[in-house]
Amino acid sequence: MRKTFALTQEGRHRDRVLEAVKHEIRKYLKRERRRDLPEGVDYLDFDCRLGATKEAAEVVHLSALIGQLDALAKEGGAQAYVEILAKPGVRRPRADAVRDHPAQSSDAPDDPAPDAEKSEN
């Protein structure tokens, strides 16, 4: 989605126009997340840019997009350029997750001997 939204419309309150823009952005994200994922892809990631114009748009994280849009509207901007591009994402296993589960290695016993604790008493 690459779109320039007008933040002011004659006959409509500025806050309602802003809410309509946010609704359209959320609706687009929801629609994109519903799509079937390509082979070998775990999730969709989004590259986002936001600014008053296309040339002034800066990279913004998806979670901060709506907040930055609010800030742009509070500054009194007449329009907002929003760019959201979906890209494939693949989850990688965390390195510390492998270290936390030593029972998965072949050297560890399947279950500890319960009799060993009783014999010490």
Side-chain angles (χ1 to χ4, degrees):
M1 164 197 255
R2 292 181 182 135
K3 190 169 183 179
T4 302
F5 293 99
L7 298 179
T8 57
Q9 290 181 3
E10 190 166 332
R12 293 184 71 190
H13 194 274
R14 186 173 173 84
D15 291 342
R16 300 299 78 77
V17 174
L18 181 62
E19 289 299 320
V21 170
K22 290 181 199 178
H23 176 73
E24 188 171 338
I25 290 171
R26 289 180 182 124
K27 188 168 70 171
Y28 173 78
L29 291 170
K30 189 174 180 180
R31 185 177 345 132
E32 286 296 310
R33 287 181 175 137
R34 273 196 319 256
R35 292 182 189 260
D36 292 332
L37 296 175
E39 192 69 30
V41 174
D42 295 327
Y43 66 98
L44 281 180
D45 196 11
F46 295 95
D47 287 334
C48 304
R49 292 179 58 210
L50 175 73
T53 63
K54 184 176 182 175
E55 294 77 26
E58 296 178 2
V59 175
V60 177
H61 192 270
L62 180 62
S63 63
L65 183 67
I66 298 297
Q68 293 291 330
L69 184 62
D70 283 335
L72 182 69
K74 280 187 181 181
E75 291 174 0
Q79 66 181 11
Y81 174 77
V82 178
E83 181 177 301
I84 304 172
L85 301 175
K87 65 178 182 180
V90 178
R91 298 191 196 286
R92 288 183 240 149
R94 294 186 346 199
D96 59 334
V98 175
R99 283 185 272 136
D100 291 342
H101 301 290
Q104 293 178 351
S105 68
S106 61
D107 297 340
D110 289 64
D111 62 22
D115 297 332
E117 294 175 9
K118 292 180 183 177
S119 63
E120 291 176 9
N121 291 334

